[in-house]
Amino acid sequence: MIDTKLTTNGRVSTESHTPAKAKSLDLAGSRMTYSRLIGALFLVGFLTYGVGSGLVTSLVGGSNFLSTIAASQTILVIGAFLMFLNTGVDVAKGVLFFPILEKHSKRTALAYLATMIVEVVLLSIGVLALLLIVPLAKHAGEAGAQTLGSILVQTNATAYQMGEMTLGVGAVFLCLLLFRTQLIPRWLAISGLIGYPVLVAGTIAEIFGIHIGLYLTIPGFFFELVLPFWLFFKGFKPEAYQGQTTV
């Protein structure tokens, strides 16, 4: 496309806006949009699930919590709802990552999306178990009610650990691809390759009653905290975003 403009000396100048230049600008905008959306989802997931879990834990952490739930059931429901919002957030991450990863490995893109779906199903089962505490609280004085309430709380805890274990496995494949393609800096991808296997080990330990999982989440937490800010300000590497693998 040729645009003509009249210059100050009366001559006509031409400016060429080639399709290639327009395509390059569109691609850069698309890259940063995708980068920032994915980064935002990581932070929103932290916020929604973290706040929701904190609210719920404050109510069900005691040994005789069922008798106090009736007066605070609104807080429990709000907390569970915030935890459930993470379902949409994590699925959205897998969906947005898919076209970016698919340019390099469709198998990895499918594997990551599949593990995210399994993770959110497990987390949702745990949230549903927590919501069952609300009707159960009406029978707090009956025999076995407190025991059943404790089982529901433990169901959520186990579902969470299994969900995080699934996430950790899928994220290892994600980080391997990020490292190979340099969609993000290799030092950041390496932190994920270290952090997620440690996270998986922590979830397995928690399932078997060895309570060290909280400490083993720290390396993975570093990756999931730094990645969003990198994506916000730098975005995915342009060449890798276009499907070109950097050696």
Side-chain angles (χ1 to χ4, degrees), residues 34-228:
Y34 265 82
S35 299
R36 287 167 179 161
L37 280 174
I38 293 173
L41 288 172
F42 271 92
L43 295 178
V44 169
F46 270 124
L47 183 63
T48 56
Y49 199 92
V51 172
S53 180
L55 290 174
V56 170
T57 302
S58 68
L59 297 176
V60 302
S63 58
N64 192 31
F65 67 87
L66 200 60
S67 60
T68 64
I69 291 297
S72 308
Q73 66 179 27
T74 301
I75 296 176
L76 177 63
V77 171
I78 291 173
F81 176 73
L82 289 173
M83 294 168 69
F84 190 73
L85 281 180
N86 187 67
T87 298
V89 170
D90 279 357
V91 170
K93 282 194 293 187
V95 170
L96 288 177
F97 253 125
F98 188 88
I100 301 171
L101 303 179
E102 187 184 23
K103 296 173 185 176
H104 303 280
S105 173
K106 188 172 183 178
R107 183 178 300 177
T108 300
L110 286 170
Y112 182 67
L113 178 59
T115 54
M116 295 300 282
I117 292 172
V118 173
E119 181 225 9
V120 299
V121 168
L122 289 167
L123 293 182
S124 297
I125 290 173
V127 172
L128 290 174
L130 292 173
L131 288 173
L132 289 175
I133 294 175
V134 174
L136 181 63
K138 298 176 182 178
H139 308 279
E142 298 179 12
Q146 182 61 47
T147 300
L148 182 55
S150 298
I151 291 174
L152 292 173
V153 172
Q154 186 58 43
T155 298
N156 172 67
T158 303
Y160 171 79
Q161 297 299 338
M162 293 180 67
E164 290 300 288
M165 179 172 60
T166 305
L167 167 67
V169 172
V172 167
F173 290 105
L174 170 68
C175 290
L176 280 171
L177 184 63
L178 295 177
F179 176 83
R180 178 171 63 83
T181 61
Q182 295 190 53
L183 273 161
I184 61 174
R186 281 184 166 169
W187 62 265
L188 185 52
I190 289 173
S191 72
L193 287 172
I194 295 172
Y196 283 114
V198 173
L199 171 66
V200 171
T203 61
I204 295 173
E206 288 287 338
I207 291 172
F208 284 96
I210 306 172
H211 301 300
I212 58 174
L214 180 62
Y215 304 104
L216 297 185
T217 62
I218 295 174
F221 178 78
F222 173 83
F223 173 82
E224 293 205 352
L225 187 61
V226 174
L227 177 64

